[in-house]
Amino acid sequence: MTNKIVIANWKLNGSTTLLQDLLKPIINFVNSNKILSTIIIAPPIIYLYQVYSMIMNTNIMIGAQNVDIHLNGAFTGEISVDMLKDVNVRYVLVGHSERRLYHHEHDLFIAKKFKIVKDAKLIPILCIGETQEDYHAGMTKVICKKQIDSIFNLLGEQAFYNTIIAYEPVWAIGSGMIPKFDFIKDIFCFIKNYVLKKQNLNKKLFSIQYGGSVDENNIKKLCKIVEIDGFLVGSAALSLNRFLKILTITSKYCTNF
């Protein structure tokens, strides 16, 4: 039996007040209920240690939203993987579409981030996905393959051992829309089979998440897609009631056997 992984990506949102009003009730809820999902909170970097100090005696994990490709040096404003380890981060988002778009991170740069996270024995969460133009052109698999291959090209066939791939259609993020469920199922099967073939394995040693407008209204239906190993949640993770509903539903309906 494998539990689903629910990742809360807070993006550029957070305050010490939010930690008390949002995170503390989440911790109380998880401690008081039988939540089978693995929960990862990814706050802004400035709050990482505060979050860790609150969750350290719980089953909640901590993740970072970003990392630099350098370990130290004259790189003002960046944060290294060793710094993340120093505050007990275990997971790191890599290649989120917002980083690709707004910070012009290309595939090779993302692959270097992925590698430095793996080299540090942390777990990278590689975000992949197509734009709306690519989606309508039927290019989703081509785009996902290209983004996955950039990792294989740098790290070799063992690249995705003990990692997470988050498929997030760029056009779905924050839009309130998600692809048709048959489409999601097909893409997840493609990603799984493609990575297994490249790794020359029959057993899947990585997880595949779905992200992009995941909320309390569609989570139950998404749980019915057995190929999905978990969810990367954005805006709904900033609402206490919405996020608790997501956790409740994933624990009830989303346990893989």
Side-chain angles (χ1 to χ4, degrees), residues 2 9 15 30 39 44 54 72 83 88 101 142 144 156 173 186 198 212 215 232 257:
T2 304
N9 179 14
S15 65
V30 171
I39 304 165
M54 294 174 68
N72 52 61
M83 295 174 185
N88 297 287
L101 176 62
V142 173
C144 289
I173 299 172
D186 181 55
K198 292 282 285 189
D215 61 29
L232 180 54
F257 290 88

Side-chain angles (χ1 to χ4, degrees), residues 65-69 79-81 84 92-94 113 116-117:
Q65 297 179 21
N66 190 30
V67 70
D68 191 41
I69 62 172
I79 187 166
S80 75
V81 72
L84 296 181
V92 185
L93 286 167
V94 175
K113 286 189 173 188
I116 206 163
V117 172

Side-chain angles (χ1 to χ4, degrees), residues 5 7 38 40-42 61-67 81 84-85 88-95 113-127 155 159-166 205-209:
I5 302 171
I7 305 167
T38 297
I40 302 168
I41 304 292
M61 307 293 181
I62 188 168
Q65 297 179 21
N66 190 30
V67 70
V81 72
L84 296 181
K85 290 182 71 174
N88 297 287
V89 166
R90 293 186 59 185
Y91 299 85
V92 185
L93 286 167
V94 175
K113 286 189 173 188
F114 190 98
K115 183 178 186 301
I116 206 163
V117 172
K118 284 214 73 180
D119 287 347
K121 309 300 181 186
L122 300 183
I123 299 176
I125 304 167
L126 175 70
C127 300
L155 278 79
F160 288 97
Y161 287 16
N162 191 32
T163 63
I164 298 173
I165 299 172
L205 300 175
F206 55 95
S207 297
I208 313 177
Q209 316 289 110

Side-chain angles (χ1 to χ4, degrees), residues 85-115:
K85 290 182 71 174
D86 195 39
V87 292
N88 297 287
V89 166
R90 293 186 59 185
Y91 299 85
V92 185
L93 286 167
V94 175
H96 193 283
S97 62
E98 292 159 0
R99 299 291 310 179
R100 295 178 190 263
L101 176 62
Y102 302 128
H103 298 272
H104 310 290
E105 294 187 0
H106 52 76
D107 286 339
L108 178 58
F109 188 70
I110 291 164
K112 289 179 179 179
K113 286 189 173 188
F114 190 98
K115 183 178 186 301

Side-chain angles (χ1 to χ4, degrees), residues 70-81:
H70 302 96
L71 292 177
N72 52 61
F75 303 100
T76 300
E78 296 297 339
I79 187 166
S80 75
V81 72

Side-chain angles (χ1 to χ4, degrees), residues 42-66:
I45 285 171
I46 194 171
Y47 299 112
L48 282 173
Y49 188 73
Q50 287 177 270
V51 170
Y52 174 72
S53 67
M54 294 174 68
I55 67 170
M56 60 188 299
N57 295 317
T58 74
N59 293 325
I60 300 174
M61 307 293 181
I62 188 168
Q65 297 179 21
N66 190 30

